[in-house]
Amino acid sequence: MTEPPEAPTEPDRRDPGARAGSPGGAATGLSGRNPSLLTRAADALPRSVSGRATLVGAVVSGLLIIAIVLGSRLLHDFDSALLPYAVATVFLAFGVAYRYAVWISAPGARRLFEKGWGSLFSAENFRRAPTALPKMAATYLGLQKFLGARSHARWAAHQLIFWGCILAALITFPLTWGWFTFTSGSGSGPGYEMRVWGFKILGFDSLDFVGWVLFHGLDLAAVLVIPGASYFLWRRMKDRGAITGQRFAYDMVPLLALLIISVTGLLLTFSSIFLHGGGYQFLAVLHMVSVVFTLIYIPFGKFFHIVQRPAAVGMQLFKYTGRQHDEVFACRRCEEPIDTGPYVENLRGTMRDLDLGFEAWAEYCPRCKRVLRGNAYLTQVKKGFK
């Protein structure tokens, strides 16, 4: 076989103007004329992608505001000095929800979303391979071993940035929202209590090791982030491959933002300990501006892949469970394995959704695709030249 078969003709499509529910069908009320409550609610939703995404973003940001108010015990534990950070997180929630809704509106991303999250929460997958999900979450999300195959240095730098940012987020967000607080019975220490939603979790001495780690957790996060971000910044300036395709706003700004946040955070500690507060106010404002800018930038820059990654883990689980049952699809030309059968069918479905018209090519391996394209060019194009 030298050419893929003709793509199967699709069945007659339903008239685009026809309703899925005809009078008297499931989309109508009992009388057959009045639309149901669900239909009226669906009709009330915005039709455009941006309109739906805006609605989703507004709902998510509204829920976060409610969570802040309730989690801080009606703002009793909310620190007004952290108000700019809290406002930035609300914008962050809106931006992430908006961008995510726009992302999954595309056919390819929608299938990744459905298959990925469907595999994550599938009881059948859990029965098939109960340890697969935690293993993939640890290796793909936590340790990110796929980066090690490219470069051990890049993997190490990415790990430093990843765990530093995770540590900073786990500390900063709950403190900003007033979800947990540090209180002292004497007003000046050294004994402190950490309270979550008003409930005491633990008491500690600020002068011992545990107390030092708790109070300097953000400094530790900065120490992790600085070498990782510095390595990638150096690579962006020296590596020809990275320089060729890089964009300043997309590739350089995130690294510079991480460095500014980390350095100014360490300088705040340095100022309070060694300079008796000298320059602290200026550093605090600079640190706040850099953090607020970064939080607002996250949904619309390179950092958005952090939000997309869990769905990719679900897709890896989707492929893994298919391999467990020997559902490997072989190339129709050379019979070498391509991928799992469900994955190939999912790719064909995406091509049909995009109206590409060549979903049959999904059944061929990359090498055979190149051979078939070359043969087609030789027989149908090149033959016209003498």
Side-chain angles (χ1 to χ4, degrees):
M1 179 184 296
T2 59
E3 297 184 3
E6 294 292 333
T9 57
E10 297 184 7
D12 293 338
R13 296 183 178 179
R14 189 186 301 268
D15 182 3
R19 289 277 186 175
S22 57
T28 59
L30 295 177
S31 64
R33 288 174 293 184
N34 296 326
S36 66
L37 179 62
L38 183 61
T39 303
R40 292 198 301 270
D43 291 339
L45 293 175
R47 295 296 183 182
S48 65
V49 173
S50 60
R52 292 194 299 268
T54 302
L55 177 61
V56 172
V59 170
V60 172
S61 57
L63 292 176
L64 177 58
I65 293 174
I66 295 173
I68 293 174
V69 173
L70 297 180
S72 61
R73 298 191 298 165
L74 301 181
L75 303 181
H76 180 269
D77 294 330
F78 186 81
D79 188 351
S80 59
L82 302 178
L83 179 62
Y85 298 99
V87 173
T89 60
V90 173
F91 277 97
L92 170 65
F94 176 87
V96 168
Y98 178 93
R99 177 81 185 276
Y100 208 92
V102 172
W103 175 56
I104 64 174
S105 65
R110 183 169 60 250
R111 283 184 171 272
L112 174 67
F113 176 84
E114 293 174 352
K115 296 295 184 181
W117 286 106
S119 297
L120 284 176
F121 296 105
S122 171
E124 182 181 357
N125 286 344
F126 181 77
R127 288 193 300 268
R128 288 182 178 181
T131 62
L133 178 57
K135 184 186 299 183
M136 288 186 179
T139 58
Y140 198 78
L141 280 183
L143 298 178
Q144 301 155 358
K145 287 188 174 181
F146 62 94
L147 290 173
R150 306 174 187 174
S151 167
H152 294 298
R154 290 175 63 184
W155 173 82
H158 202 281
Q159 282 286 285
L160 290 174
I161 294 177
F162 175 77
W163 290 111
C165 291
I166 289 293
L167 177 60
L170 291 177
I171 296 173
T172 302
F173 286 0
L175 276 176
T176 299
W177 298 334
W179 287 7
F180 71 71
T181 57
F182 296 100
T183 58
S184 172
S186 62
S188 59
Y192 283 87
E193 295 179 350
M194 186 176 76
R195 295 179 175 271
V196 177
W197 299 320
F199 298 98
K200 178 181 176 180
I201 301 300
L202 60 89
F204 61 92
D205 189 335
S206 62
L207 301 179
D208 62 16
F209 177 75
V210 174
W212 187 90
V213 170
L214 288 174
F215 275 112
H216 294 275
L218 291 177
D219 294 329
L220 296 175
V223 170
L224 293 175
V225 169
I226 288 176
S230 298
Y231 169 80
F232 282 115
L233 190 62
W234 172 85
R235 182 174 175 272
R236 287 288 172 187
M237 294 186 294
K238 296 294 184 181
D239 186 87
R240 289 185 177 181
I243 293 174
T244 301
Q246 73 182 7
R247 292 170 288 172
F248 180 80
Y250 188 79
D251 296 298
M252 303 293 284
V253 168
L255 299 174
L256 294 173
L258 289 177
L259 285 174
I260 293 173
I261 292 173
S262 302
V263 171
T264 54
L266 289 176
L267 289 177
L268 285 172
T269 302
F270 182 83
S271 172
S272 61
I273 295 177
F274 298 104
L275 301 181
H276 306 289
Y280 191 93
Q281 185 174 2
F282 169 76
L283 290 172
V285 173
L286 180 60
H287 182 73
M288 180 190 68
V289 171
S290 60
V291 172
V292 169
F293 167 79
T294 303
L295 291 176
I296 297 176
Y297 171 84
I298 285 176
F300 307 102
K302 193 170 187 177
F303 289 145
F304 184 68
H305 75 274
I306 301 171
V307 186
Q308 296 172 309
R309 188 66 65 187
V313 175
M315 181 55 71
Q316 295 297 320
L317 181 63
F318 173 66
K319 296 167 66 174
Y320 174 80
T321 53
R323 293 192 188 98
Q324 293 301 104
H325 283 67
D326 297 326
E327 300 179 26
V328 178
F329 191 93
C331 174
R332 293 183 59 183
R333 182 175 180 272
C334 66
E335 297 185 354
E336 289 293 323
I338 302 177
D339 214 310
T340 63
Y343 184 81
V344 173
E345 180 56 35
N346 180 66
L347 180 58
R348 288 174 58 96
T350 300
M351 291 182 173
R352 286 194 295 269
D353 292 343
L354 294 172
D355 293 327
L356 296 178
F358 52 87
E359 63 269 15
W361 285 96
E363 300 178 358
Y364 294 85
C365 68
R367 179 181 178 276
C368 289
K369 289 177 184 177
R370 292 192 294 268
V371 171
L372 293 173
R373 285 198 298 268
N375 289 338
Y377 176 80
L378 181 63
T379 58
Q380 300 180 23
V381 178
K382 191 70 174 179
K383 68 178 182 180
F385 297 89
K386 301 297 182 182

